[in-house]
Amino acid sequence: MSFQHEEEEFDFSYIFEYGQDVQKEPERDAYSYTPNVSLSLPLGVGNPCLATQYHTLQSSPIISVSSCHQMGYNLQNDNHAASGYYFPHSLRPNGAPALESPRIEITAYSQCPENEVEESSTEDHFIKRGVNSIVTLTLPNADGYRDPSCLSPASSISSRSCNSEASSYESGFYNYDNSPQNSPWQSPCVSPKGSSSLLSCPHSGGPAGSPYHSPSTSPQIGAMAEEGWPAQHRGSRPNSPSCSGGSGGTGGGGGMGKRKYSFNGTSYNQTSCSPNQSPTPSPHGSPRVSITDENWLASTNQYTNSAIVAAINALTTDGVVDMGEGIPIKTRKTMLDHSPSMSLKVEPGGDELGPDGEICHEDYPSRLALKKENYCAGFLDVPQHLYSWSKPKPYLSPSLPALDWQLPSCSGPYNLQIEVQPKSHHRAHYETEGSRGAVKALSGGHPVVQLYGYMESEPLTLQLFIGTADDRLLRPHAFYQVHRITGKTVSTASHEVMQSNTKILEIPLLPENNMRAIIDCAGILKLRNSDIELRKGETDIGRKNTRVRLVFRVHINQPNGRTVSLQAASNPIECSQRSAQELPLVEKQSVDSYPATGGKMMLLSGLNFLPDSKVVFVEKAQDGHHLWETEAKVDKDSIKSSTLVVEIPPYRNQRISSPVNVNFYVCNGKRKRSQYQRFTYLPPNVPMIKTEPSDEYDSRGTAGLPMHSKPYYSQSRLTPIMPVSDSDACLVGGYSPCPPRHAAMPTSSPSSSPTLHDLSPVAYSKCLPSSPSHAVLPGPMVAPIQETPGHPSLAHPASPDHNTSLGMLPSQGSPNHLNSPGPHGYHPVYAKSSPSSSPVSHPSTPGGTAESPFMQAYSPSHAAANSSHAGGSSPSLLSEDASPPSMAITVKQEPQELDQMYLDDVNEIIRNDLSSISVHTHA
DNA sequence: CTTCTGGAACAAAGA
DNA sequence: AATCTTTGTTCCAGA
């Protein structure tokens, strides 16, 4: 049901967007997340941590884990149609459509987890599972992110991308995909197979409910299938512009789309199912036929077996891989690459995962092994039989927080910061093209990320994926994927992993390097809009949705068994060739605030300013309505491509008693506007003094909507709301964070803030520290909450649309929730919580966060304790999250509550938020 | 010769 | 329904 809604929403969003880049989907994400969450195990990928967590997990029932989604799907299947919708959601978040991917369900011994899960999970579906815990392994789709792509993938003929990526993806995909977050499979190496197993094929079938279906449908391919919409596919493809000509493609056309590639045949098809490729509707008939229901079944069985194996392998290997310490980068890469590729080839068989996996293992394992041992010692200890079951779960569990969860950048002593921001423009490459290189920094170098406060000698894995940069909460970008760059010029080792439909680049964070990593190995791949939009769960539209952020995550295992997950998001990066060349971009402004009288000249620096560029100041109400708009006077004579001087216009009301946040943008034409920039008008008599904190906050918060809170939207660009933001910020934030933020932030923040609105979030991140400031603005308080959720702030200013969207979200319920600031925003809690440590977090609001789900997830024990709050154990959490939709609850409410809450205890608030998601009950 | 890019043609989607 | 504009995707060619 809810699902349907989503679709509807989808449409709406569409509409909205148009002008801006809007997207719709928050909801979905939420979904997916939720599910995942439950599972959430400690580490997703190769983390060493896994082992430990693993254990715990095992003990805990949780194992079942895997992806709730999947579970859900199954259930849904029962329901049937619903499933379809479901999937999407689930997919979205993770990327991969659960539906599509085939899953393997294993009945877990430990039911407990399940129980928990069930409980936690609001969804009925889950409940169904009820007693028996079933572990579902999702099969990864071939393409994972671009399901559709299956076709395309092939297409990717482009040599490199295709091969490498594809291969890598595939391999990776599967594993990760399975459960994006959870999937145990993820283990890179191993995974491949798993992935392969996956079934992708199967899932594809899944479109509808039953995963299995796919096969039949699938003829095409599992991969394609993923979408599960064979029909659609065809249609889609046709749709897909790409297709050549027109494609008129009709149905048959399916092939068209990516078609080319697919056909080309990659070996995949041949092999069998490889879902991935097969998808291609290859005109031929897809080779893929291979996958038939029968195959499925067979495969599934195999999978089961293989799955176990894979899981085992994963256990052994996963952790290891990440580090890659000993292995020379090149070597590793190579290895990796190969393995993936290998796997790919093999995969076709699908069934064969095993082989691939093995291969991988061999490669990695040996080296990795050492590390793993360290990390995973626990795992090893576990009895084999346990392995079989447990392991899988573990993997699943490893699943770290879902990618669409908002995490803080700092927790306790830890602070993940982006020391050097990427350039604001980076032309992404299509699969049909060669790589366009790694994302660069403004300085000409590359982005740099560093983890502060980590004193252990054990290396960690820095994860990087491409996230959205719109007003909504940060989540994996459906239309872009990270692309691993290798070569002489690349000094940083990296490894690709698929989680859900999102490709993640894993980069070692070594103590010897001060836990600092130069990100010179990350390019950005653009997926065809038509491919992605066809995906079942996908609600976002690709058109004009060309801004992304680099999202970095690190998962730190702590002695107490908990895992602290931190996340930092870069400034927005425009990935469209045209947009990068035509859209004006404001990177810095000489003045952030000024008395309402205006009159001062402000220097803007950025890109693409034209002689006829205009600067427009706008003030929006919470609801997105324009309260005020005026064109500022631009000094035409001084306009340069990179600089522009504008006179600050007087505010509409010269008698404001408190700072008013507004926005302004540079316009080169009807549809060529920069993102909103924040500006704060101060009461005329008030000295200019800006309190940074206050200003920032205020401005942000108010900006668009002064007082009110605009919900998320406003948050995004306009002003972040301080209060909420803080906590949220942390969570969300990428930047720095919380307390530290100030100190630390400087580097990053500065840049960020000026440049991108998105950054604003950063401001949030500032978080708590500013709390005082928060206090200042009551309004903000409320907003904050919402905002938190909504990264949106970042996004577009534009927002009005957003507003609508917002509205939608709530309504939408589940998925949105997740995305929506609301619930997700709360997620932050997790992060915080995990850190528990962080008093900081508390300050913000979040105190509640302390208990963050993560914690729970990671450490069962914690879960128990927390469970009450959050929804209990991780599983529950997840479920709840999932349910969130229902949660739709209302961000608004929260805000209000928040105010009080703040007064009382931020922490509680946070909890509430979380709970809210889960339930208001607590409240 | 391969990869990286910048530019731009071509075509679909919107207005 | 026709036409212009905008944007996405594919190609080409030079470095």
Side-chain angles (χ1 to χ4, degrees):
Chain A
M1 321 249 317
S2 60
F3 300 102
Q4 292 175 346
H5 293 293
E6 292 178 353
E7 289 181 351
E8 292 175 358
E9 290 176 358
F10 181 66
D11 295 349
F12 298 120
S13 58
Y14 223 82
I15 297 169
F16 295 113
E17 296 185 356
Y18 191 149
Q20 304 169 348
D21 309 358
V22 179
Q23 295 175 348
K24 353 178 165 193
E25 24 183 58
E27 302 170 353
R28 304 169 188 170
D29 295 357
Y31 263 51
S32 53
Y33 291 109
T34 314
N36 294 337
V37 175
S38 55
L39 296 180
S40 65
L41 295 185
L43 307 180
V45 176
N47 294 339
C49 304
L50 296 180
T52 58
Q53 294 174 344
Y54 188 45
H55 292 298
T56 58
L57 293 176
Q58 290 176 342
S59 61
S60 63
I62 299 168
I63 299 170
S64 52
V65 180
S66 48
S67 27
C68 302
H69 305 302
Q70 297 173 347
M71 303 295 288
Y73 291 78
N74 294 343
L75 297 175
Q76 291 175 350
N77 291 345
D78 297 354
N79 295 345
H80 49 56
S83 65
Y85 295 90
Y86 236 172
F87 292 27
H89 295 298
S90 61
L91 295 178
R92 302 192 101 279
N94 297 335
L99 298 176
E100 299 173 357
S101 61
R103 331 170 192 132
I104 298 170
E105 293 179 352
I106 299 170
T107 307
Y109 297 139
S110 63
Q111 295 172 345
C112 302
E114 292 178 351
N115 295 343
E116 292 177 353
V117 172
E118 292 176 354
E119 292 176 353
S120 65
S121 67
T122 54
E123 297 176 354
D124 298 344
H125 304 296
F126 295 94
I127 295 170
K128 292 178 181 180
R129 297 181 185 174
V131 178
N132 302 332
S133 58
I134 297 169
V135 175
T136 40
L137 300 181
T138 16
L139 298 184
N141 294 334
D143 292 348
Y145 42 90
R146 53 154 103 209
D147 302 352
S149 57
C150 300
L151 309 180
S152 54
S155 60
S156 51
I157 300 174
S158 56
S159 50
R160 333 181 183 116
S161 27
C162 298
N163 297 343
S164 63
E165 292 179 352
S167 62
S168 62
Y169 288 129
E170 292 177 353
S171 60
F173 289 2
Y174 295 90
N175 298 332
Y176 296 92
D177 290 354
N178 292 343
S179 45
Q181 304 170 342
N182 347 321
S183 65
W185 311 87
Q186 298 175 346
S187 59
C189 301
V190 175
S191 46
K193 329 339 305 13
S195 52
S196 60
S197 51
L198 330 272
L199 351 166
S200 3
C201 308
H203 60 326
S204 58
S210 64
Y212 303 79
H213 304 339
S214 49
S216 56
T217 56
S218 62
Q220 303 208 344
I221 315 185
M224 313 292 308
E226 303 167 351
E227 310 193 2
W229 338 310
Q232 291 179 346
H233 288 304
R234 295 176 183 178
S236 63
R237 297 221 164 169
N239 298 343
S240 66
S242 53
C243 309
S244 38
S247 68
T250 40
M256 332 191 359
K258 336 329 241 19
R259 9 32 186 191
K260 302 173 181 178
Y261 307 81
S262 50
F263 312 71
N264 294 338
T266 54
S267 50
Y268 307 83
N269 298 340
Q270 298 172 346
T271 50
S272 52
C273 12
S274 57
N276 302 320
Q277 303 170 344
S278 48
T280 67
S282 60
H284 307 0
S286 53
R288 317 239 148 165
V289 176
S290 57
I291 303 166
T292 52
D293 294 348
E294 294 176 354
N295 292 341
W296 253 98
L297 297 177
S299 64
T300 53
N301 295 339
Q302 293 177 344
Y303 288 126
T304 308
N305 297 335
S306 63
I308 295 170
V309 173
I312 295 169
N313 294 339
L315 294 176
T316 59
T317 58
D318 289 353
V320 177
V321 174
D322 296 350
M323 302 321 298
E325 309 163 346
I327 301 169
I329 297 169
K330 292 180 179 178
T331 306
R332 288 188 65 193
K333 291 179 180 177
T334 312
M335 300 282 296
L336 297 174
D337 293 350
H338 291 297
S339 60
S341 61
M342 296 294 291
S343 61
L344 293 177
K345 294 176 181 179
V346 174
E347 290 179 355
D351 303 357
E352 284 46 349
L353 298 179
D356 294 350
E358 292 177 355
I359 294 170
C360 297
H361 294 298
E362 293 177 353
D363 295 349
Y364 293 91
S366 61
R367 296 177 182 178
L368 297 179
L370 298 177
K371 292 181 178 179
K372 287 183 177 179
E373 290 178 355
N374 296 337
Y375 299 107
C376 308
F379 277 85
L380 297 179
D381 295 349
V382 178
Q384 293 179 343
H385 55 283
L386 293 181
Y387 270 73
S388 61
W389 287 104
S390 63
K391 289 181 179 180
K393 294 177 180 180
Y395 284 130
L396 299 179
S397 60
S399 57
L400 306 178
L403 298 181
D404 54 353
W405 283 38
Q406 309 304 308
L407 303 177
S409 61
C410 62
S411 172
Y414 311 117
N415 184 1
L416 181 63
Q417 289 192 50
I418 296 176
E419 295 294 321
V420 177
Q421 289 284 343
K423 290 203 304 184
S424 56
H425 292 324
H426 175 81
R427 180 172 166 182
H429 65 270
Y430 284 83
E431 292 179 316
T432 52
E433 298 181 307
S435 166
R436 285 187 179 275
V439 173
K440 299 175 183 63
L442 198 59
S443 62
H446 294 277
V448 175
V449 176
Q450 185 163 3
L451 173 64
Y452 291 96
Y454 180 77
M455 304 307 180
E456 305 300 319
S457 60
E458 191 172 302
L460 295 178
T461 296
L462 176 68
Q463 296 186 315
L464 164 60
F465 64 91
I466 302 300
T468 57
D470 58 23
D471 298 357
R472 293 182 291 174
L473 294 178
L474 175 63
R475 60 194 181 288
H477 204 302
F479 302 90
Y480 292 89
Q481 291 290 335
V482 175
H483 175 254
R484 186 166 71 102
I485 303 294
T486 59
K488 302 172 185 174
T489 61
V490 178
S491 64
T492 305
S494 63
H495 170 237
E496 306 181 315
V497 176
M498 285 300 296
Q499 183 171 315
S500 326
N501 285 328
T502 303
K503 187 166 156 188
I504 298 173
L505 213 53
E506 296 187 325
I507 301 164
L509 264 186
L510 310 175
E512 49 265 46
N513 292 339
N514 293 319
M515 301 308 283
R516 182 184 182 89
I518 297 173
I519 314 301
D520 61 358
C521 55
I524 301 176
L525 169 69
K526 173 67 169 64
L527 302 177
R528 281 195 291 268
N529 293 339
S530 59
D531 288 345
I532 301 305
E533 292 170 352
L534 294 179
R535 276 200 214 155
K536 237 195 172 174
E538 187 58 51
T539 55
D540 286 343
I541 59 172
R543 195 156 204 269
K544 299 201 68 158
N545 184 4
T546 56
R547 254 178 318 204
V548 309
R549 280 184 287 175
L550 299 183
V551 183
F552 298 93
R553 281 188 172 189
V554 64
H555 306 287
I556 308 167
N557 283 333
Q558 303 196 299
N560 59 8
R562 294 180 180 180
T563 296
V564 174
S565 294
L566 301 179
Q567 171 176 301
S570 74
N571 292 335
I573 301 171
E574 174 57 61
C575 295
S576 159
Q577 175 194 8
R578 186 167 275 112
S579 296
Q581 297 175 332
E582 302 177 352
L583 296 178
L585 172 71
V586 178
E587 295 182 321
K588 294 181 181 178
Q589 59 192 72
S590 63
V591 181
D592 291 321
S593 63
Y594 196 78
T597 53
K600 180 176 180 175
M601 300 307 285
M602 174 168 66
L603 173 65
L604 302 180
S605 58
L607 297 172
N608 303 325
F609 295 146
L610 302 174
D612 62 344
S613 290
K614 296 176 181 178
V615 176
V616 179
F617 279 70
V618 300
E619 179 182 9
K620 292 180 183 178
Q622 295 176 345
D623 62 1
H625 287 83
H626 278 63
L627 295 176
W628 172 66
E629 180 173 322
T630 187
E631 182 177 335
K633 295 177 183 177
V634 175
D635 180 354
K636 301 290 184 183
D637 297 335
S638 63
I639 292 183
K640 293 180 182 177
S641 174
S642 61
T643 61
L644 179 158
V645 176
V646 61
E647 180 181 331
I648 297 169
Y651 182 59
R652 63 187 170 103
N653 178 357
Q654 298 295 307
R655 293 185 175 185
I656 55 176
S657 59
S658 61
V660 175
N661 293 312
V662 300
N663 295 119
F664 70 85
Y665 60 84
V666 175
C667 178
N668 283 351
K670 186 177 181 180
R671 294 181 184 176
K672 297 178 181 178
R673 307 193 308 186
S674 69
Q675 293 191 314
Y676 283 111
Q677 306 298 315
R678 292 191 295 272
F679 187 81
T680 302
Y681 277 110
L682 305 172
N685 36 358
V686 175
M688 292 281 306
I689 303 171
K690 309 171 179 180
T691 339
E692 292 179 352
S694 63
D695 288 352
E696 291 178 352
Y697 294 95
D698 293 349
S699 63
R700 293 174 185 175
T702 43
L705 322 172
M707 328 213 10
H708 307 8
S709 44
K710 212 183 175 187
Y712 312 70
Y713 305 107
S714 58
Q715 299 173 346
S716 55
R717 297 255 160 155
L718 304 179
T719 34
I721 298 170
M722 326 326 293
V724 173
S725 59
D726 291 352
S727 60
D728 292 350
C730 294
L731 298 177
V732 173
Y735 298 88
S736 19
C738 324
R741 148 199 285 172
H742 293 308
M745 297 310 285
T747 57
S748 63
S749 59
S751 62
S752 64
S753 59
T755 311
L756 304 179
H757 297 289
D758 299 359
L759 299 182
S760 59
V762 174
Y764 293 84
S765 59
K766 294 177 180 180
C767 329
L768 320 185
S770 60
S771 54
S773 64
H774 299 301
V776 174
L777 305 179
M781 298 297 287
V782 174
I785 296 170
Q786 295 173 342
E787 290 182 355
T788 358
H791 295 292
S793 54
L794 302 181
H796 307 290
S799 19
D801 298 352
H802 298 295
N803 294 336
T804 56
S805 63
L806 293 177
M808 298 192 57
L809 296 178
S811 65
Q812 292 175 349
S814 57
N816 292 339
H817 295 301
L818 296 180
N819 292 340
S820 65
H824 290 297
Y826 304 78
H827 293 296
V829 172
Y830 288 74
K832 292 179 180 180
S833 62
S834 44
S836 63
S837 55
S838 54
V840 172
S841 63
H842 292 291
S844 50
T845 4
T849 53
E851 293 145 357
S852 64
F854 274 98
M855 300 292 294
Q856 297 174 346
Y858 292 90
S859 59
S861 63
H862 294 291
N866 295 340
S867 65
S868 63
H869 303 300
S873 59
S874 58
S876 62
L877 293 176
L878 295 180
S879 64
E880 289 178 353
D881 291 349
S883 45
S886 55
M887 306 279 316
I889 305 174
T890 59
V891 174
K892 293 178 179 179
Q893 294 176 347
E894 292 177 353
Q896 296 173 347
E897 293 176 354
L898 292 177
D899 293 347
Q900 295 176 344
M901 299 300 288
Y902 276 91
L903 296 177
D904 295 347
D905 179 347
V906 174
N907 293 338
E908 291 178 355
I909 294 169
I910 294 170
R911 293 178 183 176
N912 293 338
D913 293 346
L914 296 178
S915 65
S916 67
I917 294 170
S918 61
V919 178
H920 298 293
T921 60
H922 293 293

